[in-house]
Amino acid sequence: MTALDQLKKHTVVVADTGDIDAIAEHKPQDATTNPSLLYKAAQMPQYQSLVDEAIAYAQSKSGNEQQLIDAIIDKLSVAFGCRILELIPGRVSTEVDARLSFDTEGTVKKAYELIALYKEAGVDSDRILIKIASTWEGIRAAEQLEKEGIHCNLTLLFGFGQAVACAEANVTLISPFVGRIYDWYKAERGVDHIAIEEDPGVESVTTIYNYYKKFGHKTEVMGASFRTKEQVMALCGCDLLTISPDLLSQLGASDADVPQTLDAEAAAKMDIERVSMDEATFRWMLNEDAMATEKLAHGIRGFAADLDKLRTFLAQRMETAAS
C-alpha cells in the first residue's frame, strides 16, 4: 500500500485546491478552497467558462461596480464548489470574504447568500462548509449559523484558545494550520529545519485533537497547510487532513510506513485540564501567543490581498466582455 492508502485507512483525506483536474485525479473525500486558490484557478484556461458564467450572472443584477464584482466572486466560488462536488462524495468548503473577519453580522449575511446560491444550483447545504476566520467575531457568527443548520469550517486557526472557543461554539470543523506554524517557528528560531518529532505545527494539532477527544467535543479537527509529506504522515488518525495536490502525489508515490499516531480512545484517557472559554479569556490567550496573533492577522491580510487581486482580474475581464 502507498503512504496515501495507509493514511486513508485512519483519516479522511481532503484536497486543498481549486484545481478541479487535480481533485478528479486524487479522488479525495472532501475538498476545500480559499481566496488564494480561487485566484489561481480563475486564471487557468480550462476554467474560463466558469468565469464567463459568473460575470454574466452578476451583470444581470443591479448595483455599482464593487457590488457586481463581489457578486461575481460569490457566484464563481459557488460554481467551483458545484464542479468539485460532482467529483467527490463529501463536502466542499467555501470561504467568506476576509474583510468580514471582524463582522459577525456581515459574516452571517454572506453565509446566507452563499448557501442561497448553492440552493439555486440544486446543492443541499449539508454538503457545504462555510469557511470563516477563527476570530472571536467569526466564531460567534459560526455559532449562530450552526444553530440554523449551516455547517462551518473555522480557518486560520493557530492558537489553542481559538480551538477551545470553536469547540464550545459547536462548529462542525476547524482547520489548524500546521505549515504556517512551522514557518513562524523556523523564522523565530533562525533555523532552516525543525525535526518532525519537535514540529510545533504537528504538536499544535496533536494537542487540539487530544483535548477534543478527551472532553467529547464533536467538532472535527482537519489539519491544514502542510509543508512536507512527513508532517501529514505524523498526524495519521486525525479526523481529516487537507492536502495539496503536490503532497498528495508524493504520498501516492511513497511506500513509507504510516502508523496511526492520533487515537480518540487513547486521548480520552489522558490527564488533560479543561479550559473554560469566554471573550476575555480568548483575547488574553491570543494576546499571549505571539505566533497565533501574528499568523492570524497575516492570514487575514493575505486572503484579503488575494481577493483584491481577484477583483482586479475580474474587473478587467468585465471590461473586456463589455467591449
Side-chain angles (χ1 to χ4, degrees), residues 160 178 181 185 189 194-210 231 234-235 262:
F160 182 66
V178 177
I181 294 174
Y185 278 100
R189 297 174 186 176
I194 301 173
I196 195 68
E197 298 80 13
E198 302 170 359
D199 189 308
V202 172
E203 289 177 357
S204 175
V205 174
T206 300
T207 298
I208 292 166
Y209 176 91
N210 289 336
Q231 288 177 330
L235 291 172
L262 301 186

Side-chain angles (χ1 to χ4, degrees), residues 91 129 131-132 134 139 146 152-160 162-168 170-177 204-205 208-209 212 218-224 238-242:
R91 305 165 298 187
L129 291 171
K131 205 170 176 186
I132 300 169
S134 298
I139 295 167
E146 292 282 358
C152 300
N153 170 359
L154 273 290
T155 188
L156 294 176
L157 195 148
F158 303 97
F160 182 66
Q162 292 173 287
V164 174
C166 287
E168 293 191 357
N170 294 313
V171 306
T172 296
L173 181 146
I174 62 167
S175 299
F177 275 29
S204 175
V205 174
I208 292 166
Y209 176 91
Y212 277 20
K218 300 303 182 187
T219 300
E220 297 171 299
V221 181
M222 181 171 73
C238 194
D239 297 323
L240 308 94
L241 296 172
T242 181

Side-chain angles (χ1 to χ4, degrees), residues 122-135:
V123 177
D124 190 275
S125 63
D126 282 347
R127 299 196 68 195
I128 311 303
L129 291 171
I130 298 298
K131 205 170 176 186
I132 300 169
S134 298
T135 58

